[in-house]
Amino acid sequence: MLENKKIIVALGGNAILSDDPTAQAQIEAIRNTCEKLVQLVGHNNQLIISHGNGPQVGNLLLQQQLADSEKNPALPLDTCVAMTEGSIGYWMQNEMSSILKKQEINKSVVSLITRVEVDQNDPAFTHPTKPIGPFLTEIEVAEASQDGAKYIEDSGRGYRKVVPSPKPVGIVEVDTVKQLVENDVITISCGGGGIPVIKSDNGYTGIEAVIDKDFASKKLAEQVEADLFIILTAVDNVYINFNKPNQKKLEEVSIDELKQYIEEGQFEPGSMLPKIQAAVEFVESSNNGTAIITSLDNLGNLHEGAGTVVKKNDSLKVSNS
């Protein structure tokens, strides 16, 4: 049983969006997700939720481009990130509140529009890698790429547009998140990786980019000193030699072991690799924190050691001795 833990859960896109991109379908998916997240509430746990927005922000950009005109100009990418952070946060806040009420759990939920500081000299701005929007065929890419955008093949599922994805430097609203958590408010923060902003003497300015939600969630987990960082994905565990005859499921693993697998190229960039890197970086920077990579359906089994559990090398030796 998880108890007395400060928990950050980073939701993957499959927890929000199905094949149906309508608002009602996304709300239904979020409702199902929240019903599973509620399992982490109680037993004096403090819960912070983050989520992706790749498909949503990509679809919104397409809508903006189609409606672009002199009287109704398309909005920039950072504003589209803010819009999807707000809409997804609103849906999640609504559904989580309803489920808590039905289960007679007296906790408040709030979604926080979160800015995330990035470095304007980050090399990501000259080398876009973050997939957003729908999956396209080769023919659709040939037509779409005429706008000068870059598209890459994504995990064998088709082609997607890619944009700059700078690393997060810090969470601007982290003090507000801490205050909410200390008051036992379930907080939805860093949605879509947060709104990328550059710091200046006059404050912050938005910049065209999308921050990877796993790295933004990791930075938030570090800054609020979380005990447990859960990264949800489509599979129950991380695998090496994935889809090969010698495929192996990783259960409890050290950061050194994962670093070796990264060097071997075991994990797909833009898919499982950033999740592994975020988990390793969080555990390295934390005093006693643990990271778990698993599926949404596996949340109820965490007390049984479900998922891929990432720990420091010394703590892993102690637990196995």
Side-chain angles (χ1 to χ4, degrees), residues 52-229:
N53 73 338
Q56 291 85 359
V57 76
N59 287 338
L60 180 57
L61 279 172
L62 288 176
Q63 293 169 9
Q64 292 288 318
Q65 290 166 4
L66 290 171
D68 186 28
S69 68
E70 185 176 345
K71 292 185 177 181
N72 186 29
L75 296 172
L77 180 53
D78 60 308
T79 300
C80 290
V81 171
M83 292 168 70
T84 54
E85 182 178 15
S87 60
I88 295 170
Y90 155 63
W91 291 334
M92 192 169 294
Q93 183 175 329
N94 247 4
E95 298 308 315
M96 180 65 85
S97 297
S98 296
I99 293 167
L100 291 170
K101 185 176 181 180
K102 288 178 183 177
Q103 297 192 15
E104 298 183 346
I105 299 173
N106 186 26
K107 283 200 175 189
S108 297
V109 186
V110 69
S111 52
L112 183 66
I113 299 299
T114 314
R115 294 167 295 171
V116 176
E117 183 184 348
V118 298
D119 184 350
Q120 62 182 341
N121 296 316
D122 192 303
F125 289 110
T126 57
H127 183 57
T129 58
K130 179 65 177 175
I132 63 171
F135 290 95
L136 304 177
T137 65
E138 285 191 59
I139 295 174
E140 289 172 323
V141 166
E143 296 174 351
S145 59
Q146 294 176 8
D147 63 2
K150 180 180 178 182
Y151 293 81
I152 62 168
E153 196 274 333
D154 186 357
S155 306
R157 295 174 290 179
Y159 294 81
R160 295 176 78 188
K161 181 177 180 177
V162 288
V163 298
S165 183
K167 288 290 184 72
V169 174
I171 312 301
V172 178
E173 280 75 26
V174 67
D175 288 340
T176 303
V177 174
K178 288 179 179 179
Q179 290 173 22
L180 290 166
V181 172
E182 287 169 4
N183 283 279
D184 208 23
V185 176
I186 297 172
T187 306
I188 304 162
S189 179
C190 288
I195 305 161
V197 295
I198 300 294
K199 189 176 183 179
S200 68
D201 293 338
N202 298 320
Y204 295 93
T205 303
I207 193 165
E208 294 245 332
V210 172
I211 302 169
D212 186 281
K213 71 100 177 37
D214 293 316
F215 287 121
S217 303
K218 184 271 300 185
K219 178 60 68 174
L220 180 62
E222 290 175 350
Q223 291 190 281
V224 302
E225 298 180 335
D227 302 299
L228 183 59
F229 178 31

